[in-house]
Amino acid sequence: MTAAFASEPSDFDHDANPMLYSRHSRPFDKSIYGWADRSVQWVYAQPLDKNPFLDPTGANCAVGQEGPVWFLAPIASMMAGNFTRACTIPRDKAIFLMIGFVSDTYPCPDPNFGPKPGQSLYDFLVADSKTYMMMTSLDVTLDGRPVRDALDYHYISENVFSVKGDPSLQSTFDSCITGSWQPDLTNGYFMMFRPLSPGMHTIVRKTVGMTGMTNTFTYYLTIQ
């Protein structure tokens, strides 16, 4: 059986999910929290016609990718169902799976959207994000091998960070986008897979929301 991930000398800790970087590790000198925020900045920076989040096939999966980590965006869907995406990824790239997230940008057109007197912007955005981030079940597999305790891979930004959204996304993705740098907070589920061995691999992510809506995303990955 071919190994699903290429060996490397970084923080391998022989935990229950050796295909992943540890939840509290700092791969490439950045925490998983930091990479989560960076992945959201990446999604926001891409224009509507090339945005990987809004691409149903994976044709745009390489847009804006740079550095040692390759971001795998969620597949935009407002309905239950099974969705697939194909992507070719260079070898030796860690793969950052953006399972599902809330990006709470500020300010918004709603004049009532803001901290209460004495409340910090961070605490306000955390509380607001929790009203949207609802997931009762999460299953993730790599080449049929399950990730254990997948719901534990939940991250909330450690601090408010800045995001600059492409203006073309304002009407379809986030109405709060200003086109300039603005405060943001991420609340979501993320996993960073260690570099995969060359060849074909499959990541499957299945979620069940509070309303019972089930989504299954299948990523067909070619590592070259």
Side-chain angles (χ1 to χ4, degrees), residues 170-191:
Q170 187 179 56
S171 61
T172 57
F173 181 64
D174 185 345
S175 62
C176 298
I177 287 175
T178 65
S180 300
W181 289 101
Q182 61 193 112
D184 193 11
L185 179 136
T186 301
N187 183 343
Y189 295 84
F190 304 89
M191 295 176 181

Side-chain angles (χ1 to χ4, degrees), residues 18-95:
M19 73 280 276
L20 299 176
Y21 287 91
S22 169
R23 289 178 294 135
H24 303 295
S25 63
R26 291 185 58 85
F28 312 104
D29 296 322
K30 192 186 296 290
S31 69
I32 303 298
Y33 295 87
W35 283 114
D37 293 344
R38 179 67 189 90
S39 70
V40 171
Q41 290 175 324
W42 167 73
V43 167
Y44 271 73
Q46 313 313 320
L48 177 65
D49 61 341
K50 295 292 185 181
N51 195 288
F53 175 72
L54 302 170
D55 165 26
T57 67
N60 296 325
C61 73
V63 172
Q65 301 279 10
E66 57 184 23
V69 177
W70 188 279
F71 300 123
L72 273 186
I75 302 172
S77 62
M78 297 301 293
M79 301 178 64
N82 299 318
F83 305 87
T84 62
R85 182 178 283 164
C87 186
T88 298
I89 300 174
R91 68 180 66 191
D92 299 326
K93 297 281 188 179
I95 298 174

Side-chain angles (χ1 to χ4, degrees), residues 3-12 18-19 21 92 194-198:
F5 48 92
S7 61
E8 58 170 66
S10 55
D11 71 326
F12 187 78
M19 73 280 276
Y21 287 91
D92 299 326
R194 297 176 183 278
L196 302 178
S197 58

